[in-house]
Amino acid sequence: MTETPAPQDDTLNETPVKLVIVDDHPMVAEGIQSILESYDDIEVQATFQSGRAIIDEVEALRPDVILMDLNMPDIGGLSATEIILERCPDTRILILTMHDSREYISTALDHGAMGYVLKDVPTDEIKTAIDTVMRGERYLCTGAQGSLEPANGRGRDALTGREQTILLQLAQGKSNKEVAIALDISVRTVETHRKNIKRKLGISSTAGLTRYALEHGVLQGTGVGL
């Protein structure tokens, strides 16, 4: 008598999503890890506290998804994303951060991230984001979507070539007077450009401009390091 094979449970054949968490705040990383480990279809491979650390290990781990913070010591999340995708193009990068400005979000997507989630979202939304990028789709949480939507039908103006030049000079620590001398323009003109740059980027302080320049690669090749 021929025995009929027992039906197979497809769920037993499903491979859990291999996931890595990169955040320089241990308590944040541990909290996220604790939440995600409660799902049977997610395997948290490791947590790291810097971009350099995950870059050094990514080829050995080959994670399916990386939850990546933006502001970290040595190498930030944006630069780490680019390097990781060069080495492991099949890995999906999901940015998990507190920054909700249009520039951060659009730049992260330009660097190859497949998703952008703010840290104040409900915990189950992180799982939704992971599932979405695993399907090969882009995921933006509600707050990120709102930041990308043009206000009153108009997007935020892009920096002009002159403004980009001045941003570079300011990010190198030069004063308005030093920028004026270097570019052969008046101090008042520099001040006007500076105000316009801050308005366009939604940044209120000089420190914020410097941080923006560092994180968006404006200073690359200038000899100015992190």
Side-chain angles (χ1 to χ4, degrees):
M1 181 177 177
T2 303
E3 294 184 0
T4 302
Q8 294 184 348
D9 185 353
D10 291 338
T11 60
L12 297 178
N13 298 324
E14 292 181 357
T15 303
V17 174
K18 296 183 296 182
L19 182 134
V20 167
I21 301 168
V22 186
D23 195 300
D24 64 334
H25 296 92
M27 291 184 64
V28 173
E30 290 169 7
I32 296 171
Q33 179 178 2
S34 177
I35 292 167
L36 295 180
E37 284 182 336
S38 66
Y39 294 96
D40 293 335
D41 58 347
I42 291 181
E43 174 194 347
V44 179
Q45 291 180 298
T47 63
F48 297 98
Q49 296 182 25
S50 72
R52 169 56 62 192
I54 178 57
I55 288 169
D56 290 343
E57 298 294 332
V58 69
E59 290 179 280
L61 293 171
R62 295 276 170 180
D64 297 310
V65 178
I66 296 176
L67 290 183
M68 180 79 74
D69 194 9
L70 287 179
N71 294 337
M72 294 182 292
D74 60 60
I75 296 179
L78 294 177
S79 297
T81 293
E82 281 193 323
I83 296 171
I84 288 168
L85 292 178
E86 288 177 358
R87 300 182 181 185
C88 300
D90 293 333
T91 295
R92 287 87 163 174
I93 307 293
L94 182 57
I95 301 298
L96 185 63
T97 180
M98 297 182 297
H99 297 291
D100 62 355
S101 73
R102 180 186 181 91
E103 285 71 29
Y104 275 106
I105 300 166
S106 60
T107 304
L109 298 177
D110 289 343
H111 278 63
M114 286 194 66
Y116 199 101
V117 178
L118 302 177
K119 288 184 177 179
D120 60 357
V121 301
T123 54
D124 59 350
E125 187 165 355
I126 298 176
K127 177 61 165 61
T128 300
I130 294 169
D131 292 341
T132 301
V133 300
M134 280 299 296
R135 294 195 301 267
E137 302 171 13
R138 190 174 77 171
Y139 186 89
L140 299 177
C141 71
T142 302
Q145 290 174 359
S147 295
L148 284 180
E149 292 174 356
N152 300 321
R154 296 184 59 189
R156 188 175 289 164
D157 296 333
L159 296 184
T160 65
R162 172 62 85 181
E163 287 168 346
Q164 292 178 20
T165 300
I166 290 175
L167 172 59
L168 172 60
Q169 297 279 327
L170 295 173
Q172 290 176 321
K174 294 182 180 179
S175 66
N176 288 350
K177 183 177 181 180
E178 289 171 328
V179 174
I181 293 172
L183 301 180
D184 194 23
I185 55 179
S186 71
V187 173
R188 178 166 292 184
T189 298
V190 175
E191 291 173 348
T192 299
H193 282 304
R194 187 175 193 148
K195 289 178 182 178
N196 288 336
I197 292 168
K198 288 181 177 180
R199 175 182 56 80
K200 289 182 177 182
L201 298 182
I203 296 172
S204 60
S205 67
T206 301
L209 289 178
T210 302
R211 185 167 58 251
Y212 176 92
L214 286 168
E215 292 171 353
H216 290 73
V218 176
L219 295 174
Q220 289 180 1
T222 66
V224 178
L226 294 172

